[in-house]
Amino acid sequence: MMNRIKSHSGPAWRGRALEWGKNAVIILLVASAVYLTTRVGIFDGGRGGDTLLQGISQFFSRQEQTNSAAGGRTDAAAAVCPVAIAVNTAEGRYGARYDTEARSSFFTRFRELLQGAFSTVQSETEITEEAWRAALERQGVYTQLLEAIPLDALSIWLEAEDDGVFLQGETRRFVLARDETKDTVCLYYCNDMNGLYYAYETGLSYSGHMENLLAAYTPNGASFVYEFGADAEYSALNPYVLLTPETVMPHIYSSSIPLNLEDEDQIRQLQRALQFQPQVSAEYTVQNGIVVRDGADALRFGADGMVTFTSGEEETRYPLEGNGYADLVEHTYALAQKTVGVQGGAAALYLIGVEERVPGQYEVRYGYVIDGVPVYFADGGDAARFSIQDGRIISYTLRFRAYEDTGETTVVMREEQAAAAMRALNQEGKELVLSYDDSSTGTTNAGWVAQ
């Protein structure tokens, strides 16, 4: 279980000083460009002045976009991976799993509603499991995430307004459901930290906006395992596994290492993306790899697709502005996304978790996910793993993989067959999760795992 960590201020002055310095350099460079351009008369006909000013404007626009992409909350929110969704209407339930298009459409439709709910939460109340199940069956929307996320971090990434209510706990499952006695919307969730269930009242009204959003979905017969009863063939599964009527037929993907140590341009680009400047770095070849040194910092590129970083004791290449959960994810996700993230092909990055190993020292982990299905490696490793101490990244490991759809699909056993196998192996009550097994480069197939 991850230790819960709260947001608090860090060495923000260092980040601000760095930004001021960067801005001063940019202003000097632009001023020099203007001066030199006017001296040598480089203009585009009679519109040279407009072209120059337009270019300067575009330069600043690109800088703003780059700075935003490096640590923006919208980027970090993309690391939160929903694996299943359900919509309860007056006519029945619609559910979807392992469907990228359905999940994307869901959050496009309901993002504003989620923002409103998290922005207007009121006092928290502990509820019974019966009350939780009743909420799952009322008109509303259900979301299951691949990994547990703190509620306050979800609120930040949804860009919900801060109303002073501290959202507590970590969750993989939460519901926005109608309170029929008041015709309002309540936020219900299962706290993964203690296994208990809670509810927040919100300031949202059900009639109108939420009611209209639900009406756009046609029920498809999706059900939770517990709704079949204790004697059902699915009873060995976790009671909150969502079952949908379609046959699960995951695609087969090829797996390769996109890192080529012979490609000097690629290595230089990755160095820059990781804030190592080739002009001032020392580079030398080692067995099955390349090592780049800048001061006491070392970056190693391996032929196996692994890139590792270790920081010198006095170096601060990657300072962080805070040690809150969202702060740690925003900065590490930016580094992961512009390296292994853009090289992943059909795969995206998702947040596995943040763990405080000792006071002030954290580990942030990311995995690959394809169509909502996580990729597991034989060595138990991750797509990216970062170690943070004293407000800076002190080491990381990046695993470069590229996944491409082969156009073929594979058939996995139905859930009732998987449940029977779990019962025979004394694995009752566990979550049944589809996953890709990447034990080596080549073909990557999907299958069920119990966890």
Side-chain angles (χ1 to χ4, degrees):
M1 185 66 67
M2 294 183 295
N3 295 326
R4 174 125 166 86
I5 55 179
K6 301 178 182 178
S7 298
H8 61 270
S9 60
W13 65 270
R14 286 185 293 185
R16 288 196 294 270
L18 181 62
E19 289 301 317
W20 291 338
K22 287 165 59 180
N23 290 339
V25 172
I26 290 170
I27 291 171
L28 288 173
L29 288 173
V30 172
S32 299
V34 172
Y35 173 75
L36 290 172
T37 303
T38 55
R39 291 283 293 173
V40 300
I42 302 176
F43 294 100
D44 181 16
R47 296 178 293 131
D50 291 340
T51 302
L52 177 62
L53 292 175
Q54 188 178 53
I56 294 172
S57 174
Q58 290 173 349
F59 174 82
F60 278 110
S61 176
R62 287 194 298 271
Q63 285 298 115
E64 182 177 354
Q65 292 171 2
T66 300
N67 293 339
S68 174
R73 286 175 178 169
T74 301
D75 286 346
V80 180
C81 182
V83 67
I85 57 164
V87 178
N88 286 349
T89 71
E91 287 74 35
R93 179 184 293 134
Y94 164 86
R97 301 173 299 164
Y98 311 118
D99 187 329
T100 299
E101 184 177 348
R103 290 181 292 111
S104 176
S105 174
F106 174 87
F107 279 99
T108 298
R109 290 176 182 269
F110 287 100
R111 183 178 182 86
E112 183 180 334
L113 181 71
L114 291 167
Q115 286 177 333
F118 277 82
S119 296
T120 60
V121 292
Q122 300 168 23
S123 58
E124 180 186 72
T125 303
E126 183 179 337
I127 60 174
T128 64
E129 186 170 12
E130 289 72 20
W132 160 255
R133 291 185 176 185
L136 290 177
E137 295 165 16
R138 289 205 297 272
Q139 296 174 46
V141 295
Y142 163 83
T143 304
Q144 179 186 339
L145 305 177
L146 200 52
E147 301 290 343
I149 302 296
L151 282 171
D152 58 342
L154 282 174
S155 179
I156 291 172
W157 292 328
L158 286 168
E159 298 179 342
E161 297 178 6
D162 183 4
D163 61 356
V165 175
F166 181 70
L167 295 165
Q168 304 182 63
E170 297 176 353
T171 188
R172 286 190 304 137
R173 296 181 171 90
F174 61 92
V175 184
L176 292 182
R178 180 186 186 185
D179 183 338
E180 297 175 350
T181 60
K182 301 179 181 179
D183 197 38
T184 57
V185 177
C186 285
L187 169 63
Y188 301 87
Y189 73 98
C190 174
N191 188 345
D192 281 57
M193 297 179 71
N194 58 19
L196 301 177
Y197 303 91
Y198 299 88
Y200 284 102
E201 292 188 1
T202 78
L204 297 183
S205 173
Y206 171 79
S207 297
H209 183 55
M210 183 173 182
E211 185 178 27
N212 294 336
L213 290 173
L214 300 182
Y217 286 84
T218 301
N220 63 356
S223 300
F224 293 101
V225 164
Y226 78 86
E227 293 176 312
F228 289 91
D231 298 328
E233 54 196 350
Y234 302 104
S235 60
L237 301 180
N238 181 288
Y240 301 110
V241 170
L242 181 69
L243 302 174
T244 54
E246 75 276 5
T247 301
V248 179
M249 297 183 64
H251 285 227
I252 299 174
Y253 289 84
S254 63
S255 172
S256 62
I257 298 174
L259 185 63
N260 181 4
L261 301 186
E262 303 296 325
D263 188 339
E264 293 186 3
D265 289 339
Q266 184 191 38
I267 299 302
R268 300 294 180 273
Q269 289 174 7
L270 285 173
Q271 285 185 48
R272 295 187 184 95
L274 294 170
Q275 301 176 25
F276 277 72
Q277 297 303 321
Q279 299 90 336
V280 297
S281 300
E283 179 181 315
Y284 54 92
T285 302
V286 296
Q287 185 176 6
N288 297 321
I290 297 172
V291 173
V292 176
R293 283 196 171 274
D294 184 357
D297 288 350
L299 193 63
R300 186 186 190 281
F301 297 86
D304 58 356
M306 306 295 284
V307 173
T308 57
F309 164 78
T310 53
S311 174
E313 292 183 2
E314 302 300 327
E315 300 290 339
T316 309
R317 186 172 301 273
Y318 308 110
L320 307 183
E321 294 183 0
N323 282 335
Y325 191 107
D327 298 312
L328 298 176
V329 173
E330 285 168 8
H331 288 83
T332 55
Y333 181 73
L335 278 176
Q337 178 56 29
K338 64 184 180 182
T339 52
V340 290
V342 297
Q343 297 280 346
L349 293 175
Y350 78 97
L351 175 64
I352 295 176
V354 178
E355 182 179 357
E356 186 175 20
R357 292 191 167 275
V358 297
Q361 182 176 341
Y362 307 93
E363 185 176 77
V364 186
R365 300 168 56 206
Y366 297 92
Y368 287 117
V369 61
I370 306 174
D371 287 336
V373 180
V375 178
Y376 294 150
F377 296 99
D379 62 6
D382 309 309
R385 180 179 297 189
F386 298 83
S387 293
I388 295 98
Q389 185 174 336
D390 300 328
R392 66 191 183 104
I393 298 173
I394 61 171
S395 66
Y396 56 72
T397 300
L398 306 173
R399 184 192 303 260
F400 281 79
R401 285 291 189 276
Y403 298 94
E404 301 298 332
D405 193 342
T406 64
E408 302 177 357
T409 59
T410 184
V411 178
V412 297
M413 68 175 67
R414 295 188 62 84
E415 283 92 338
E416 59 265 38
Q417 295 171 318
M422 290 172 62
R423 190 179 296 109
L425 296 172
N426 295 318
Q427 300 288 312
E428 290 95 339
K430 290 193 174 183
E431 188 86 28
L432 191 63
V433 177
L434 198 63
S435 69
Y436 281 104
D437 176 22
D438 188 348
S439 55
S440 63
T441 55
T443 301
T444 303
N445 293 290
W448 295 114
V449 294
Q451 62 181 32

